[in-house]
Amino acid sequence: MFYREAGQFKTSYAADMAIFPIRQDRIGLAVILAIAFVAIPLTGDQFLLNTMMIPFLILSLAGIGLNILTGYTGLLSLGSAGFMGVGAYACYKLQTYFPQVNILVWIVVSGLASSAVGVLFGLPSLRIKGFYLVVATLAAQFFLEWAFARVPWLYNYNDSGAIEVSNQTLFGVYVTGPNATPATRYLVVLTIVTALTWIASNIVHGRIGRMWMAVRDMDIAAELIGIRLLRAKLTAFAVSSFYIGVAGALMVFLWFGSAEPEAFDINLSFQLLFIIIIGGLGSIVGAFFGAVIIHLLPIGLRALPALLHINVPGAMVEHLTYMITGALIIGVLIVEPHGLAKLWQTMKQKLRVWPFPY
Amino acid sequence: MNILHAIFVDPFAQMISAPDLLVQTVWEGFVGGVLYSLIALGFVLIYKASGVFNFAQGIMMVFAALTLVGLHEKGAPAWIALALTVAIMYALAVGVERVVLRPLVNQPDIILLMATFGLTYFLIGFGELVFGGNPKAMITEQLFLPSGAIDLSILGGKVTLQKLDIAAAAIALVMVAGLGLFFQKTRIGRALRAVADDHQAALSVGISLNQIWVVVWFAAGVVALATGIMWGARSDVSFALQVVALKALPVLILGGLTSIPGAIVGGLIIGIGEKLGEFYWGPLLGGGIERWLAYFIALAFLLFRPQGLFGERIIERI
Amino acid sequence: MSDTAPEILLSLEHVSLAFGGVRAISDVSFDIRKGEIRAIIGPNGAGKTSMLNVINGFYHPQLGVITFGGRARSRMRPHEAAAQGIARTFQNVALFKGMTTLDNIMTGRSLRMNRGLFWQALRHGPALVEEIRHREFCEEIIDFLEIEAIRKTPVGALPYGLQKRVELGRALAMEPKLLLLDEPMAGMNREEKEDMSRFIVEANRRLGATIALIEHDIGVVMDLSDRVVVLEYGRKIADDVPEVVKADEKVIAAYLGVAH
């Protein structure tokens, strides 16, 4: 009875097509944003912000990017980690050459670099589909991994092969580097992620989103409608890689503070894929659900033995994480292939008619 | 001008000036290629019969090898350990069929592929839990695999052939030939091909899909074990091998997902191609190009022939 | 009936299509006049669907000339056919199963919507204005096809008959000059067929769509079509108004088999 739409009549198409047509949804969203922007920075401790909120947001952003390519357009990719790296290294180089421009500008612009590389590796997608395309994305992944380690120009020729993030400011406040406080970094990440999520939501609800889904569902029929397949797929690669690239830049500059080439290995690609499988393919909010699960799982597993007063060696936690992740993937695909987002939707449906069964 | 020279002239000059090195490189590539073919073979078996691309084939190979070595460490004589491992792979096949494949039987291919990603991660975790993450040595002596090398003096220089490599190549070729014959000549082989073509039709002539799938996954498991033994004998058994298994994907692209001869040819092309590429052109780029060269070779082929060299051309009828 | 010569919208001359060794269409010529409902009938395997695929641009005939709207076309891709004003439905409904009825029909407007990525990213503003404009157009079609109640239902959940109606809606959303319908009545009961017939006729009369349809139900063909083409084994065996074709011996023999 809380979730009734009774009395909320739509009197215009605009109202009907709003992304959150139900008033309770809009209120819920406002509450979440208020908590995110106000409550958490004020009350959250460093641990919460550093190890939970910031990574969660960044992984969600990357998840949104991958979901655009895989969930909405149906192009399975194992190269997402490589594209995160492109974003990170692009940002690093841009900042090296133009240190006077604000770092946040470069974080967003680096998405464009990633976008360009994404389109390049997406070109084969016209001729090849499905499994073969996965292998093409693997080509991108392994090539990029190699480049990050073997192209010294990328890491400014320094001996360690890694990149270090320096102190950068915005309006006088430190946002990156060792001097930046977790709260500041968190707010920057939150702002960027919120804005980009809003944009992604806009895009997928309009003409371009429908175009992508048409290509996914039946590309032959999409052609019939007049959709140009190559353009649709390349747009998907471009937008997807942009999001993933920005996430990569954020990851290095506002989360890790540094990066070694191993940070962008194929394991990360799988992590992102698992995020969107568990969260829900073809769903923006699903990326957030998935990121929560994938990121919190190892943290939770590490904390659990201490809570239960059992002694579990650290390595075993990692093994268990792998096992549970794998089992979770199989389980989700069997029980609800559309992931947590679908479960959430179903729950809301039930809530709308509660306390009646239907 | 210099760059063009470095790419198009120097490597070939090198090849000609030291032909023994060329032969050595080609041999190394040949052996690697044969082993890639074996891994690819496991994929082809399962795909041919069930239409599932079992991404977990690589981890199954490592798992099989680790089980073998682990059992031997616990005290089982080599051949008992081998038999036990085969039995365990059978149990694994049945388990995977029941738990992963059957519930997903009507889902689109991409879902099944993703499920095998999950299976891979599960087996990595489980394997590491049971066997530990340290690399182990393969029990080559106990399995009567030869060791040592043969030196050939040819072409003005020396070429060294590891006896193990020769044995590996021989065994692999025997396996491939055997499986090829099995598919063509036996009743079960025919049933497998029927299932690959059309599940419904196969059912309607009385072929039990579940039985076939267990047979196939078991066969793939045996192939995985053989491959794991060979790879492990050449370079220790550890989970890093799993990533090597990914190299089978370009092989599959070249050879087609459903062709056994394709797996061999594809494997050889990739194996020799990447070794030559790494040795003669690698230094130009700073080395290490083996990590991705195979994929680019496969991509190049794909662009001209989307179904691979041997694969079936899929004509989409509307 | 007016006295002026009927305007030809599509004409096929000596079209032949083969797949490997299989000849799907052999030397077939006919035309479709603007504004008419043309039926293409024939026993199974006659090449009817291949015929539509050729008109659509999916298959390219080895021989023959296709002229659409007065211009001869060479190898046309399906999306070019769409841009020229050819829309199509399928025997096995080719809807986008992951989307709702409304979204499916909205995809039919793809060619006419062009607000770029930048505006889509903002949504509010020109993109939304365009979206609403096309939504209004699609709602007209939804009204016309009487599917208001299911506009937000994912099409995968709809019964077959309704799916075919939605597919028709998507084709109509393209405002096609030529509408190709592949067995639009297949699998429908009598009531559904009557509804579908009504929609087809209305689309032809009110919306001005020239229609070519493949159909097995002879009753429907007789009632709806202005002229009929009969194919058998890839060849044309009759081409006339329904009454004449119905009585044609060759046609009867093709359907019933020739008595030996």
Side-chain angles (χ1 to χ4, degrees), chain B residues 213-230:
Chain B
W213 286 343
V214 170
V215 166
V216 165
W217 278 72
F218 172 63
V222 169
V223 170
L225 176 58
T227 319
I229 294 175
M230 301 302 166

Side-chain angles (χ1 to χ4, degrees), chain A residues 127 135 145-146 150 267 319 326, chain B residues 118 121 128 286-287 291-292 303:
Chain A
R127 290 272 284 176
V135 180
E145 268 186 51
W146 170 86
R150 301 280 186 145
N267 199 41
H319 306 326
Chain B
Y121 264 68
E128 281 188 338
R291 289 176 59 190
W292 47 265
L303 291 177

Side-chain angles (χ1 to χ4, degrees), chain C:
Chain C
M1 281 301 226
S2 77
D3 290 328
T4 56
E7 186 190 331
I8 308 263
L9 182 61
L10 177 84
S11 97
L12 295 117
E13 289 159 52
H14 303 292
V15 169
S16 290
L17 175 72
F19 301 109
V22 178
R23 304 194 126 268
I25 302 174
S26 302
D27 195 29
V28 171
S29 307
F30 66 91
D31 60 43
I32 302 180
R33 296 183 190 142
K34 188 150 186 275
E36 75 170 336
I37 298 182
R38 193 82 143 103
I40 303 176
I41 68 175
N44 283 327
K48 311 188 292 290
T49 300
S50 299
M51 200 73 244
L52 288 194
N53 285 338
V54 162
I55 298 176
N56 220 158
F58 272 127
Y59 298 154
H60 299 129
Q62 282 81 17
L63 294 170
V65 178
I66 307 174
T67 313
F68 181 67
R71 282 167 38 224
R73 3 172 300 197
S74 47
R75 303 171 71 81
M76 186 184 278
R77 306 270 346 261
H79 69 251
E80 287 163 348
Q84 298 238 330
I86 302 179
R88 159 140 196 208
T89 69
F90 287 87
Q91 242 176 314
N92 312 318
V93 177
L95 285 175
F96 305 121
K97 295 280 162 67
M99 295 199 255
T100 62
T101 299
L102 178 60
D103 278 340
N104 266 277
I105 297 180
M106 288 283 275
T107 62
R109 303 298 290 167
S110 295
L111 278 170
R112 292 158 202 276
M113 296 178 79
N114 50 29
R115 283 299 176 191
L117 185 60
F118 174 72
W119 294 116
Q120 295 292 335
L122 293 179
R123 188 167 166 89
H124 296 279
L128 197 53
V129 167
E130 178 185 67
E131 185 98 351
I132 293 176
R133 187 160 50 91
H134 290 282
R135 166 81 185 260
E136 282 167 355
F137 187 87
C138 292
E139 286 289 341
E140 303 260 329
I141 295 180
I142 290 176
D143 272 349
F144 169 63
L145 293 173
E146 297 161 15
I147 47 179
E148 300 91 331
I150 54 164
R151 59 156 88 75
K152 294 284 178 76
T153 315
V155 297
L158 293 174
Y160 183 69
L162 280 178
Q163 283 185 355
K164 288 195 95 84
R165 219 190 279 188
V166 173
E167 209 195 359
L168 178 62
R170 186 182 66 183
L172 289 176
M174 293 169 67
E175 291 179 85
K177 296 200 187 83
L178 176 61
L179 181 55
L180 308 172
L181 303 175
D182 196 342
E183 302 210 29
M185 320 269 184
M188 289 187 175
N189 62 33
R190 178 124 171 206
E191 254 181 52
E192 290 170 327
K193 283 194 189 184
E194 283 173 5
D195 281 335
M196 198 57 143
S197 304
R198 180 162 48 94
F199 296 137
I200 292 177
V201 169
E202 285 283 293
N204 176 253
R205 303 265 163 78
R206 246 190 12 183
L207 305 176
T210 306
I211 296 181
L213 84 142
I214 296 178
E215 187 46 57
H216 276 301
D217 185 330
I218 299 294
V220 164
V221 170
M222 295 301 130
D223 282 340
L224 289 190
S225 44
D226 295 313
R227 287 192 301 157
V228 181
V229 169
V230 188
L231 298 178
E232 187 197 23
Y233 297 128
R235 294 184 186 282
K236 183 172 88 169
I237 60 173
D239 179 356
D240 213 318
V241 294
E243 298 73 36
V244 172
V245 165
K246 191 162 89 156
D248 187 323
E249 279 176 5
K250 293 199 297 293
V251 175
I252 298 174
Y255 272 97
L256 298 179
V258 182
H260 294 312

Side-chain angles (χ1 to χ4, degrees), chain A residues 70 74-76 78 121 123-124 127-136 138-140 142-147 149-150 219-220 266-268 270-271 273-274 277 281 315-316 318-327 329-330 333-335 337, chain B residues 53 55 99-100 103-104 107 110-126 128-129 132-133 243 246 249-250 252-253 256-257 285-289 291-292 295-296 298-299 302-308 313 316-318:
Chain A
T70 300
L75 302 168
L76 185 55
L78 284 177
F121 279 102
L123 281 172
R127 290 272 284 176
I128 60 187
K129 296 186 180 188
F131 157 71
Y132 296 125
L133 191 62
V134 177
V135 180
L138 273 181
F142 288 129
F143 175 77
L144 290 169
E145 268 186 51
W146 170 86
R150 301 280 186 145
D219 55 0
I220 305 177
I266 190 164
N267 199 41
L268 179 58
F270 274 109
Q271 293 289 93
L273 186 62
F274 291 162
I277 292 177
L281 291 163
M316 192 179 284
E318 209 192 297
H319 306 326
L320 283 175
T321 307
Y322 269 73
M323 284 175 67
I324 295 180
T325 307
I329 292 292
I330 297 177
L333 288 174
I334 293 177
V335 171
Chain B
F53 183 77
F55 193 78
V99 172
V100 180
L104 290 174
Q107 299 286 356
I110 196 177
I111 301 271
L112 279 161
L113 177 60
M114 295 195 288
T116 59
F117 291 164
L119 180 62
T120 303
Y121 264 68
F122 180 82
L123 286 177
I124 292 179
F126 183 61
E128 281 188 338
L129 197 68
V243 180
L246 286 179
L249 301 186
L252 288 168
I253 287 184
L257 278 167
L285 291 169
I289 70 175
R291 289 176 59 190
W292 47 265
Y295 291 89
F296 278 78
L299 251 188
L302 262 189
L303 291 177
F304 295 110
R305 229 186 121 82
Q307 70 275 30
R313 185 158 226 167
E316 296 193 70
R317 298 222 61 184
I318 319 147

Side-chain angles (χ1 to χ4, degrees), chain B residues 276-301:
Chain B
L276 284 176
E278 173 66 51
F279 195 73
Y280 289 102
W281 281 271
L284 287 173
L285 291 169
I289 70 175
E290 265 182 320
R291 289 176 59 190
W292 47 265
L293 188 57
Y295 291 89
F296 278 78
I297 296 176
L299 251 188
F301 266 93

Side-chain angles (χ1 to χ4, degrees), chain B residues 142-207:
Chain B
Q142 295 83 337
L143 291 172
F144 297 107
L145 289 168
S147 58
I150 305 175
D151 286 334
L152 297 175
S153 293
I154 55 167
L155 298 170
K158 192 178 70 150
V159 174
T160 309
L161 308 174
Q162 300 288 336
K163 286 193 198 163
L164 183 64
D165 288 347
I166 302 177
I171 295 177
L173 287 173
V174 165
M175 283 194 87
V176 170
L179 278 165
L181 277 172
F182 177 71
F183 268 97
Q184 287 297 119
K185 304 289 180 197
T186 68
R187 187 178 59 88
I188 299 189
R190 266 199 303 279
L192 276 167
R193 282 189 288 142
V195 169
D197 249 348
D198 190 330
H199 289 179
Q200 298 273 50
L203 273 174
S204 66
V205 296
I207 298 177

